Structure formats: structure tokens, C-alpha cells
DNA sequence: GAAATCACGAAAGATTCTTGCGCGCGGGGA
DNA sequence: TCCCCGCGCGCAAGAATCTTTCGTGATTTC
């Protein structure tokens, strides 16, 4: 997985299109980026193989699935030694309510993106699991009201 | 977009599979969930039409694309009247560095997920755009060190 | 109990995927 | 300058997939 891959303008167009619609057919994609289907497919395969494209995901509507609570938690630990950080990171992977987690620098050590069916479930999780976990010092919570912007991870210029 | 759709066990399996691999072919998907291809495709189309599936997205490797800085910003506003919130929400949509944004309740009013090519770009954005924006009171920043967990938005039981 | 509704699965045509191959373009080296 | 080589595109064809149509069986409704 090279940290710097040489991508031309067509590669960037492919990435932009697949970030907007990851299920687009290859012929549609090739038409949009201006080449024929076979080289387009070869480029996509290459981008997958070198790790530029990490995978594909359906985006789900959490409220419609009965997941009414989306929240972020900022966690501060008592001790930030390397193995302590790894231990907590491993713990987050065992909590289904935690969907994404980041180790961060700043006022907190971890940021957790949480989804739960209702407020009671989330509060129980925060009190009985999160705040009770070893080495956890502070837990700050931000309940989401609504999503305001939802683009892919990488921005593309308007070319 | 009904808030409560009636989904059976097969629908849930479909959602789980497509959340893990949104580009899976329909025959592969139908095989995994245990039905034949035509009804499987009809179910996927239905899930898309009623808004359970919001779309599909390729997941990109930001560092490999020269995006070395991923950070979260917690924003507090001076005034939280409805039109003030809408104004700031609209502003976030015009900032390419901001990839996702949430309106939140708690100590802050907004949480921004930001991606930039380097620290200088990000700092310039924070100082000259974010903190300088009208009505912005506080800006707290958490630079990410690494991603610790990365699942889809919705958790599925092990069935 | 009869009729209607619903969803599944087989079959077939249309579309897409995937591979193999020939061509043209651009970059060294004699 | 000319030749050779490597790279990537696009055509074409076979394989796989998508998508629709239709018949059947199960469940529900009246």
C-alpha cells in the first residue's frame, strides 16, 4: 500500500464517481470518465489492489431502522501509555454501539461515534460500560440532532 | 420514507451484507442470504426506494491520496436561534475541508469531521475560516492519530 | 371455505463483465 | 533521425450477471 500513488486525472474522476455512487456499473463509470469499459475496470481493480479504494459500503438510514440515537463521545483516560491506549482501542471494538472510533490528540484521547436504538440504551451504555471501563477518566457526550452534511471522506476539486 | 418499515430476517441479512460490501453482485448477495436472485434484487430495490438504503459509497484511503490530516472540530455558537443554526449549517456545506457535519446538543452546537492535505492547511482553515465565521464562539479541535474502529453506521446481531 | 394477495423461483432476453489481442502513442538508445 | 520497446487504450467475443415475465404455492382476508 504505497503512501503516494501516481494517479492521473481519469483516476481522480473514477474515485469521485465511486465515492458518490459505489454501485455504479462499470460501463456507466467508464462513460462518465471518458474511456471505454475495459481500461476503466482495470483502473478500478488497480485502485482497489493498491489500497486507494478500501472497500464499498451501503449507507443505511439509521432512524428508519429503529436507531434513533446517534451520539459522539469524547473519552479522556487516566494513563496514556501505549499499551493503555491499545487496550482501550481494543475495548471499543467489542462494543456494538460504537460504530467508528478514533484515537485523537487534544483535550481527549478517543472519540467514539455511537448509534443506539433509544436514549435509555445509550445512557446505560455510557454509565455501565463506558464510564465504568478501566482507566476511563472523563466522558463527554454530544447527542446529535441531525446530520448537516454527509460527503465522502475525500474532497475533489471541480475539474 | 416511512420511519418504521417492516423488515424480515432476510432484509436484515441483505443490509448487513451490503453494509460490508456495497459492490457485491446480486447473485452473490442472493446466495448469501439464502434466496434466488430475482426476489433478492426486488428486495434491494425496495430498500433503496423506501430510503432504508441511502446510497452506496467507495471508501477511500485518505493518507494514500495525500490527505494526511483528519480532525474533528467542536463548535459553540454565540446564539442558537433556529435561523442561526441553519446559517451555520449552510456554511459548513460550502467548506470542502468539512466532510461530515452534525448539529449536536451538549457542550457544543456542531461537530465537524474535517480532512486536509496537511497541518498548515487545516490550521489556516480553523483560524481564518472557522473561528472567523460569524456567530462562532468556541472552536475545540481534536486531531486524529489513527482510526481504531470502522464499521458501518448500523450494528447487526450475530444471527 | 373461496378468493385475493403476496413472494418465491424458473426461464429467457438484455445488459454487463471480463479476457485476449492488436493498435497507436511516447520515451530511450544506437 | 530512426528504431525498438513498453504502456495503455479500445475492439470483439464468451462468460457471467441483471432484469423482466410468468406460473406456483403459501398465507391472509372476507
Amino acid at each position: 500500500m504505497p503512501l503516494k500513488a501516481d494517479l492521473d486525472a481519469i483516476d481522480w474522476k473514477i474515485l469521485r464517481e465511486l465515492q458518490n455512487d459505489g454501485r455504479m456499473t462499470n460501463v456507466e463509470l467508464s462513460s462518465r470518465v471518458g474511456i471505454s469499459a475495459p481500461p476503466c475496470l482495470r483502473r478500478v481493480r488497480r485502485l482497489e489492489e493498491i489500497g486507494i479504494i478500501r472497500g464499498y459500503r451501503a449507507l443505511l438510514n439509521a432512524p428508519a431502522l429503529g436507531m434513533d440515537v446517534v451520539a459522539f463521545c469524547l473519552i479522556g483516560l487516566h494513563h496514556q501509555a501505549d499499551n493503555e491506549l491499545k487496550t482501550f482501542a481494543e475495548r471499543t471494538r467489542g462494543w456494538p454501539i460504537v460504530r467508528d472510533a478514533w484515537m485523537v490528540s487534544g483535550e481527549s484521547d478517543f472519540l467514539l461515534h455511537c448509534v443506539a436504538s433509544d436514549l435509555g440504551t445509550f445512557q446505560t451504555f455510557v454509565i455501565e460500560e463506558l464510564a465504568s471501563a478501566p482507566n476511563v477518566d472523563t466522558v463527554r457526550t454530544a447527542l446529535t440532532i441531525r446530520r448537516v452534511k454527509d460527503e465522502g471522506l475525500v474532497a475533489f476539486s471541480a475539474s
Side-chain angles (χ1 to χ4, degrees), chain A:
Chain A
M1 194 183 333
L3 259 69
K4 174 143 190 170
D6 53 335
L7 307 180
D8 63 12
I10 294 180
D11 289 320
W12 284 99
K13 284 186 188 174
I14 288 175
L15 295 176
R16 180 173 53 188
E17 295 296 336
L18 287 181
Q19 187 170 242
N20 285 335
D21 179 6
R23 217 174 159 75
M24 186 184 298
T25 68
N26 184 60
V27 291
E28 170 71 14
L29 178 62
S30 64
S31 157
R32 285 177 182 246
V33 304
I35 59 178
S36 65
C40 185
L41 186 63
R42 283 190 289 261
R43 281 167 179 266
V44 172
R45 292 277 181 271
R46 168 176 170 263
L47 291 169
E48 292 168 356
E49 279 164 13
I50 66 179
I52 299 280
I53 295 178
R54 293 167 37 235
Y56 302 90
R57 182 164 289 169
L59 306 180
L60 304 185
N61 184 337
L65 290 170
M67 294 298 182
D68 291 329
V69 176
V70 178
F72 291 89
C73 297
L74 284 161
I75 311 299
L77 301 183
H78 281 113
H79 310 291
Q80 287 85 16
D82 190 52
N83 62 327
E84 312 265 22
L85 296 173
K86 282 180 181 166
T87 299
F88 185 80
E90 181 56 40
R91 202 178 302 275
T92 66
R93 291 186 208 105
W95 286 324
I97 283 181
V98 178
R99 306 312 301 158
D100 302 332
W102 297 81
M103 189 184 299
V104 299
S105 73
E107 301 172 36
S108 301
D109 299 309
F110 285 89
L111 185 144
L112 312 183
H113 184 188
C114 302
V115 176
S117 57
D118 57 81
L119 201 52
T121 302
F122 177 67
Q123 289 172 337
T124 300
F125 164 74
V126 170
I127 294 170
E128 297 186 5
E129 302 272 358
L130 238 190
S132 307
N135 196 28
V136 168
D137 181 16
T138 61
V139 177
R140 282 185 300 157
T141 290
L143 286 173
T144 66
I145 297 170
R146 67 166 173 270
R147 195 196 305 261
V148 159
K149 181 171 183 174
D150 184 23
E151 309 283 327
L153 188 60
V154 177
F156 296 97
S157 47
S159 73

mmCIF file with all atom_site columns, all heavy atoms in Angstrom, chain A residues 125-141:
data_model
loop_
_atom_site.group_PDB
_atom_site.id
_atom_site.type_symbol
_atom_site.label_atom_id
_atom_site.label_alt_id
_atom_site.label_comp_id
_atom_site.label_asym_id
_atom_site.label_entity_id
_atom_site.label_seq_id
_atom_site.pdbx_PDB_ins_code
_atom_site.Cartn_x
_atom_site.Cartn_y
_atom_site.Cartn_z
_atom_site.occupancy
_atom_site.B_iso_or_equiv
_atom_site.pdbx_formal_charge
_atom_site.auth_seq_id
_atom_site.auth_comp_id
_atom_site.auth_asym_id
_atom_site.auth_atom_id
_atom_site.pdbx_PDB_model_num
ATOM 1   N N   . PHE A 1 125 ? -25.400 2.329  28.336 1.00 0.00 ? 125 PHE A N   1
ATOM 2   C CA  . PHE A 1 125 ? -24.070 2.043  27.805 1.00 0.00 ? 125 PHE A CA  1
ATOM 3   C C   . PHE A 1 125 ? -23.032 3.007  28.369 1.00 0.00 ? 125 PHE A C   1
ATOM 4   O O   . PHE A 1 125 ? -21.961 2.598  28.836 1.00 0.00 ? 125 PHE A O   1
ATOM 5   C CB  . PHE A 1 125 ? -24.090 2.111  26.280 1.00 0.00 ? 125 PHE A CB  1
ATOM 6   C CG  . PHE A 1 125 ? -22.725 2.212  25.670 1.00 0.00 ? 125 PHE A CG  1
ATOM 7   C CD1 . PHE A 1 125 ? -21.885 1.111  25.634 1.00 0.00 ? 125 PHE A CD1 1
ATOM 8   C CD2 . PHE A 1 125 ? -22.275 3.420  25.140 1.00 0.00 ? 125 PHE A CD2 1
ATOM 9   C CE1 . PHE A 1 125 ? -20.618 1.205  25.085 1.00 0.00 ? 125 PHE A CE1 1
ATOM 10  C CE2 . PHE A 1 125 ? -21.002 3.513  24.599 1.00 0.00 ? 125 PHE A CE2 1
ATOM 11  C CZ  . PHE A 1 125 ? -20.180 2.404  24.570 1.00 0.00 ? 125 PHE A CZ  1
ATOM 12  N N   . VAL A 1 126 ? -23.349 4.285  28.360 1.00 0.00 ? 126 VAL A N   1
ATOM 13  C CA  . VAL A 1 126 ? -22.377 5.281  28.822 1.00 0.00 ? 126 VAL A CA  1
ATOM 14  C C   . VAL A 1 126 ? -22.033 5.056  30.291 1.00 0.00 ? 126 VAL A C   1
ATOM 15  O O   . VAL A 1 126 ? -20.860 5.068  30.686 1.00 0.00 ? 126 VAL A O   1
ATOM 16  C CB  . VAL A 1 126 ? -22.918 6.709  28.602 1.00 0.00 ? 126 VAL A CB  1
ATOM 17  C CG1 . VAL A 1 126 ? -22.020 7.729  29.300 1.00 0.00 ? 126 VAL A CG1 1
ATOM 18  C CG2 . VAL A 1 126 ? -23.009 7.015  27.123 1.00 0.00 ? 126 VAL A CG2 1
ATOM 19  N N   . ILE A 1 127 ? -23.056 4.819  31.093 1.00 0.00 ? 127 ILE A N   1
ATOM 20  C CA  . ILE A 1 127 ? -22.823 4.722  32.531 1.00 0.00 ? 127 ILE A CA  1
ATOM 21  C C   . ILE A 1 127 ? -22.195 3.383  32.908 1.00 0.00 ? 127 ILE A C   1
ATOM 22  O O   . ILE A 1 127 ? -21.193 3.321  33.629 1.00 0.00 ? 127 ILE A O   1
ATOM 23  C CB  . ILE A 1 127 ? -24.145 4.933  33.286 1.00 0.00 ? 127 ILE A CB  1
ATOM 24  C CG1 . ILE A 1 127 ? -24.629 6.378  33.082 1.00 0.00 ? 127 ILE A CG1 1
ATOM 25  C CG2 . ILE A 1 127 ? -23.971 4.648  34.776 1.00 0.00 ? 127 ILE A CG2 1
ATOM 26  C CD1 . ILE A 1 127 ? -26.030 6.626  33.588 1.00 0.00 ? 127 ILE A CD1 1
ATOM 27  N N   . GLU A 1 128 ? -22.767 2.312  32.396 1.00 0.00 ? 128 GLU A N   1
ATOM 28  C CA  . GLU A 1 128 ? -22.368 0.995  32.895 1.00 0.00 ? 128 GLU A CA  1
ATOM 29  C C   . GLU A 1 128 ? -21.191 0.399  32.134 1.00 0.00 ? 128 GLU A C   1
ATOM 30  O O   . GLU A 1 128 ? -20.503 -0.475 32.647 1.00 0.00 ? 128 GLU A O   1
ATOM 31  C CB  . GLU A 1 128 ? -23.562 0.032  32.847 1.00 0.00 ? 128 GLU A CB  1
ATOM 32  C CG  . GLU A 1 128 ? -24.701 0.491  33.755 1.00 0.00 ? 128 GLU A CG  1
ATOM 33  C CD  . GLU A 1 128 ? -25.830 -0.529 33.826 1.00 0.00 ? 128 GLU A CD  1
ATOM 34  O OE1 . GLU A 1 128 ? -25.656 -1.623 33.236 1.00 0.00 ? 128 GLU A OE1 1
ATOM 35  O OE2 . GLU A 1 128 ? -26.862 -0.235 34.448 1.00 0.00 ? 128 GLU A OE2 1
ATOM 36  N N   . GLU A 1 129 ? -20.991 0.846  30.891 1.00 0.00 ? 129 GLU A N   1
ATOM 37  C CA  . GLU A 1 129 ? -19.890 0.273  30.117 1.00 0.00 ? 129 GLU A CA  1
ATOM 38  C C   . GLU A 1 129 ? -18.749 1.272  29.990 1.00 0.00 ? 129 GLU A C   1
ATOM 39  O O   . GLU A 1 129 ? -17.622 1.029  30.414 1.00 0.00 ? 129 GLU A O   1
ATOM 40  C CB  . GLU A 1 129 ? -20.373 -0.127 28.722 1.00 0.00 ? 129 GLU A CB  1
ATOM 41  C CG  . GLU A 1 129 ? -21.522 -1.110 28.713 1.00 0.00 ? 129 GLU A CG  1
ATOM 42  C CD  . GLU A 1 129 ? -21.035 -2.553 28.748 1.00 0.00 ? 129 GLU A CD  1
ATOM 43  O OE1 . GLU A 1 129 ? -19.811 -2.776 28.743 1.00 0.00 ? 129 GLU A OE1 1
ATOM 44  O OE2 . GLU A 1 129 ? -21.895 -3.450 28.775 1.00 0.00 ? 129 GLU A OE2 1
ATOM 45  N N   . LEU A 1 130 ? -19.070 2.405  29.377 1.00 0.00 ? 130 LEU A N   1
ATOM 46  C CA  . LEU A 1 130 ? -18.017 3.356  29.026 1.00 0.00 ? 130 LEU A CA  1
ATOM 47  C C   . LEU A 1 130 ? -17.354 3.935  30.276 1.00 0.00 ? 130 LEU A C   1
ATOM 48  O O   . LEU A 1 130 ? -16.157 3.744  30.511 1.00 0.00 ? 130 LEU A O   1
ATOM 49  C CB  . LEU A 1 130 ? -18.638 4.490  28.219 1.00 0.00 ? 130 LEU A CB  1
ATOM 50  C CG  . LEU A 1 130 ? -18.098 4.757  26.817 1.00 0.00 ? 130 LEU A CG  1
ATOM 51  C CD1 . LEU A 1 130 ? -18.663 6.056  26.291 1.00 0.00 ? 130 LEU A CD1 1
ATOM 52  C CD2 . LEU A 1 130 ? -16.600 4.782  26.818 1.00 0.00 ? 130 LEU A CD2 1
ATOM 53  N N   . ALA A 1 131 ? -18.147 4.624  31.084 1.00 0.00 ? 131 ALA A N   1
ATOM 54  C CA  . ALA A 1 131 ? -17.566 5.316  32.230 1.00 0.00 ? 131 ALA A CA  1
ATOM 55  C C   . ALA A 1 131 ? -17.023 4.331  33.257 1.00 0.00 ? 131 ALA A C   1
ATOM 56  O O   . ALA A 1 131 ? -16.166 4.685  34.069 1.00 0.00 ? 131 ALA A O   1
ATOM 57  C CB  . ALA A 1 131 ? -18.605 6.242  32.869 1.00 0.00 ? 131 ALA A CB  1
ATOM 58  N N   . SER A 1 132 ? -17.520 3.103  33.219 1.00 0.00 ? 132 SER A N   1
ATOM 59  C CA  . SER A 1 132 ? -17.064 2.102  34.173 1.00 0.00 ? 132 SER A CA  1
ATOM 60  C C   . SER A 1 132 ? -15.847 1.330  33.684 1.00 0.00 ? 132 SER A C   1
ATOM 61  O O   . SER A 1 132 ? -15.308 0.505  34.428 1.00 0.00 ? 132 SER A O   1
ATOM 62  C CB  . SER A 1 132 ? -18.189 1.095  34.452 1.00 0.00 ? 132 SER A CB  1
ATOM 63  O OG  . SER A 1 132 ? -19.366 1.760  34.833 1.00 0.00 ? 132 SER A OG  1
ATOM 64  N N   . ALA A 1 133 ? -15.443 1.576  32.457 1.00 0.00 ? 133 ALA A N   1
ATOM 65  C CA  . ALA A 1 133 ? -14.317 0.817  31.926 1.00 0.00 ? 133 ALA A CA  1
ATOM 66  C C   . ALA A 1 133 ? -13.026 1.233  32.623 1.00 0.00 ? 133 ALA A C   1
ATOM 67  O O   . ALA A 1 133 ? -12.882 2.392  33.038 1.00 0.00 ? 133 ALA A O   1
ATOM 68  C CB  . ALA A 1 133 ? -14.203 1.046  30.419 1.00 0.00 ? 133 ALA A CB  1
ATOM 69  N N   . PRO A 1 134 ? -12.086 0.312  32.764 1.00 0.00 ? 134 PRO A N   1
ATOM 70  C CA  . PRO A 1 134 ? -10.827 0.636  33.435 1.00 0.00 ? 134 PRO A CA  1
ATOM 71  C C   . PRO A 1 134 ? -10.104 1.784  32.741 1.00 0.00 ? 134 PRO A C   1
ATOM 72  O O   . PRO A 1 134 ? -10.136 1.874  31.512 1.00 0.00 ? 134 PRO A O   1
ATOM 73  C CB  . PRO A 1 134 ? -10.012 -0.666 33.308 1.00 0.00 ? 134 PRO A CB  1
ATOM 74  C CG  . PRO A 1 134 ? -11.009 -1.726 33.057 1.00 0.00 ? 134 PRO A CG  1
ATOM 75  C CD  . PRO A 1 134 ? -12.137 -1.093 32.335 1.00 0.00 ? 134 PRO A CD  1
ATOM 76  N N   . ASN A 1 135 ? -9.518  2.638  33.546 1.00 0.00 ? 135 ASN A N   1
ATOM 77  C CA  . ASN A 1 135 ? -8.658  3.703  33.031 1.00 0.00 ? 135 ASN A CA  1
ATOM 78  C C   . ASN A 1 135 ? -9.421  4.875  32.428 1.00 0.00 ? 135 ASN A C   1
ATOM 79  O O   . ASN A 1 135 ? -8.811  5.847  32.001 1.00 0.00 ? 135 ASN A O   1
ATOM 80  C CB  . ASN A 1 135 ? -7.668  3.137  31.997 1.00 0.00 ? 135 ASN A CB  1
ATOM 81  C CG  . ASN A 1 135 ? -6.519  4.081  31.726 1.00 0.00 ? 135 ASN A CG  1
ATOM 82  O OD1 . ASN A 1 135 ? -6.141  4.869  32.595 1.00 0.00 ? 135 ASN A OD1 1
ATOM 83  N ND2 . ASN A 1 135 ? -5.984  4.022  30.529 1.00 0.00 ? 135 ASN A ND2 1
ATOM 84  N N   . VAL A 1 136 ? -10.746 4.803  32.373 1.00 0.00 ? 136 VAL A N   1
ATOM 85  C CA  . VAL A 1 136 ? -11.510 5.922  31.815 1.00 0.00 ? 136 VAL A CA  1
ATOM 86  C C   . VAL A 1 136 ? -11.625 7.024  32.851 1.00 0.00 ? 136 VAL A C   1
ATOM 87  O O   . VAL A 1 136 ? -12.054 6.790  33.979 1.00 0.00 ? 136 VAL A O   1
ATOM 88  C CB  . VAL A 1 136 ? -12.903 5.464  31.354 1.00 0.00 ? 136 VAL A CB  1
ATOM 89  C CG1 . VAL A 1 136 ? -13.786 6.676  31.056 1.00 0.00 ? 136 VAL A CG1 1
ATOM 90  C CG2 . VAL A 1 136 ? -12.776 4.595  30.122 1.00 0.00 ? 136 VAL A CG2 1
ATOM 91  N N   . ASP A 1 137 ? -11.229 8.217  32.450 1.00 0.00 ? 137 ASP A N   1
ATOM 92  C CA  . ASP A 1 137 ? -11.283 9.357  33.345 1.00 0.00 ? 137 ASP A CA  1
ATOM 93  C C   . ASP A 1 137 ? -12.531 10.192 33.094 1.00 0.00 ? 137 ASP A C   1
ATOM 94  O O   . ASP A 1 137 ? -13.422 10.282 33.920 1.00 0.00 ? 137 ASP A O   1
ATOM 95  C CB  . ASP A 1 137 ? -10.012 10.198 33.155 1.00 0.00 ? 137 ASP A CB  1
ATOM 96  C CG  . ASP A 1 137 ? -9.979  11.409 34.067 1.00 0.00 ? 137 ASP A CG  1
ATOM 97  O OD1 . ASP A 1 137 ? -10.758 11.443 35.033 1.00 0.00 ? 137 ASP A OD1 1
ATOM 98  O OD2 . ASP A 1 137 ? -9.171  12.327 33.805 1.00 0.00 ? 137 ASP A OD2 1
ATOM 99  N N   . THR A 1 138 ? -12.603 10.798 31.903 1.00 0.00 ? 138 THR A N   1
ATOM 100 C CA  . THR A 1 138 ? -13.725 11.679 31.592 1.00 0.00 ? 138 THR A CA  1
ATOM 101 C C   . THR A 1 138 ? -14.485 11.170 30.378 1.00 0.00 ? 138 THR A C   1
ATOM 102 O O   . THR A 1 138 ? -13.898 10.594 29.454 1.00 0.00 ? 138 THR A O   1
ATOM 103 C CB  . THR A 1 138 ? -13.233 13.106 31.278 1.00 0.00 ? 138 THR A CB  1
ATOM 104 O OG1 . THR A 1 138 ? -12.375 13.041 30.139 1.00 0.00 ? 138 THR A OG1 1
ATOM 105 C CG2 . THR A 1 138 ? -12.479 13.685 32.460 1.00 0.00 ? 138 THR A CG2 1
ATOM 106 N N   . VAL A 1 139 ? -15.792 11.384 30.384 1.00 0.00 ? 139 VAL A N   1
ATOM 107 C CA  . VAL A 1 139 ? -16.647 11.073 29.247 1.00 0.00 ? 139 VAL A CA  1
ATOM 108 C C   . VAL A 1 139 ? -17.499 12.293 28.964 1.00 0.00 ? 139 VAL A C   1
ATOM 109 O O   . VAL A 1 139 ? -18.292 12.713 29.805 1.00 0.00 ? 139 VAL A O   1
ATOM 110 C CB  . VAL A 1 139 ? -17.562 9.860  29.542 1.00 0.00 ? 139 VAL A CB  1
ATOM 111 C CG1 . VAL A 1 139 ? -18.501 9.621  28.360 1.00 0.00 ? 139 VAL A CG1 1
ATOM 112 C CG2 . VAL A 1 139 ? -16.739 8.619  29.820 1.00 0.00 ? 139 VAL A CG2 1
ATOM 113 N N   . ARG A 1 140 ? -17.299 12.864 27.786 1.00 0.00 ? 140 ARG A N   1
ATOM 114 C CA  . ARG A 1 140 ? -18.157 13.967 27.375 1.00 0.00 ? 140 ARG A CA  1
ATOM 115 C C   . ARG A 1 140 ? -18.994 13.509 26.188 1.00 0.00 ? 140 ARG A C   1
ATOM 116 O O   . ARG A 1 140 ? -18.466 12.895 25.254 1.00 0.00 ? 140 ARG A O   1
ATOM 117 C CB  . ARG A 1 140 ? -17.322 15.192 26.999 1.00 0.00 ? 140 ARG A CB  1
ATOM 118 C CG  . ARG A 1 140 ? -16.829 15.950 28.227 1.00 0.00 ? 140 ARG A CG  1
ATOM 119 C CD  . ARG A 1 140 ? -16.113 17.204 27.820 1.00 0.00 ? 140 ARG A CD  1
ATOM 120 N NE  . ARG A 1 140 ? -14.950 16.887 26.983 1.00 0.00 ? 140 ARG A NE  1
ATOM 121 C CZ  . ARG A 1 140 ? -14.396 17.751 26.134 1.00 0.00 ? 140 ARG A CZ  1
ATOM 122 N NH1 . ARG A 1 140 ? -14.910 18.937 25.999 1.00 0.00 ? 140 ARG A NH1 1
ATOM 123 N NH2 . ARG A 1 140 ? -13.342 17.396 25.437 1.00 0.00 ? 140 ARG A NH2 1
ATOM 124 N N   . THR A 1 141 ? -20.262 13.811 26.234 1.00 0.00 ? 141 THR A N   1
ATOM 125 C CA  . THR A 1 141 ? -21.199 13.278 25.250 1.00 0.00 ? 141 THR A CA  1
ATOM 126 C C   . THR A 1 141 ? -21.842 14.397 24.455 1.00 0.00 ? 141 THR A C   1
ATOM 127 O O   . THR A 1 141 ? -22.186 15.437 25.011 1.00 0.00 ? 141 THR A O   1
ATOM 128 C CB  . THR A 1 141 ? -22.282 12.456 25.979 1.00 0.00 ? 141 THR A CB  1
ATOM 129 O OG1 . THR A 1 141 ? -21.692 11.272 26.489 1.00 0.00 ? 141 THR A OG1 1
ATOM 130 C CG2 . THR A 1 141 ? -23.392 12.087 25.038 1.00 0.00 ? 141 THR A CG2 1
#
